[in-house]
């Protein structure tokens, strides 16, 4: 199963970027989805998520109030709108979609290959 991210790029601090994730095979649905990022020399961290079953949206403290995650049923995509970007937001952003087995969410994810975001001061 392949998830494909798009929309990364370079932007100056204070600017905005919109990331998108879609799949030709996987359907984003009740097992949730999330955006993660990994900065150089750091571990991958979740920045925004739509939880399984109840679709509750959560954000990391670092991006709360600046980033917005959304799910578009018609295009089968997960988007991440990023505003007020700062240098610390730079990294590779990964899309994740929850796996299911026999209609139950397993807690594991399918992953995209990532899209790079570079924020300059």
């Amino acid at each position: 199963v392949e998830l494909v991210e798009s929309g990364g790029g370079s932007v100056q601090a204070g600017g905005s970027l919109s990331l998108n994730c879609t799949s030709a095979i996987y359907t984003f649905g009740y097992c949730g989805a999330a955006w993660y990022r990994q900065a150089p020399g750091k571990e991958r961290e979740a920045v925004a998520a739509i939880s399984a079953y109840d679709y509750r949206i959560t954000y990391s403290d670092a991006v709360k109030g600046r980033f917005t995650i959304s799910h578009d049923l018609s295009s089968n995509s997960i988007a991440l709108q990023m505003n007020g970007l700062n240098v610390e937001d730079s990294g590779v952003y990964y899309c994740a979609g929850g796996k299911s087995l026999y209609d139950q969410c397993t807690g594991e994810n399918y992953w995209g290959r990532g899209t790079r975001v570079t924020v300059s001061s």
Side-chain angles (χ1 to χ4, degrees), residues 1-12:
V1 173
E2 183 180 22
L3 308 184
V4 180
E5 301 97 338
S6 62
S10 298
V11 66
Q12 288 194 326

Side-chain angles (χ1 to χ4, degrees), residues 34-92:
W35 284 95
Y36 288 72
R37 70 184 180 192
Q38 187 166 19
K42 294 187 177 181
E43 292 188 356
R44 189 175 298 188
E45 61 173 347
V47 296
I50 302 173
S51 62
Y53 300 114
D54 64 3
Y55 304 100
R56 184 168 53 94
I57 291 177
T58 57
Y59 299 96
S60 70
D61 288 342
V63 308
K64 196 174 296 181
R66 300 187 296 121
F67 290 13
T68 302
I69 187 171
S70 60
H71 175 203
D72 187 335
L73 285 168
S74 63
S75 62
N76 186 39
S77 63
I78 298 291
L80 185 68
Q81 177 65 38
M82 305 185 294
N83 299 324
L85 286 162
N86 55 56
V87 174
E88 290 74 31
D89 294 317
S90 297
V92 179

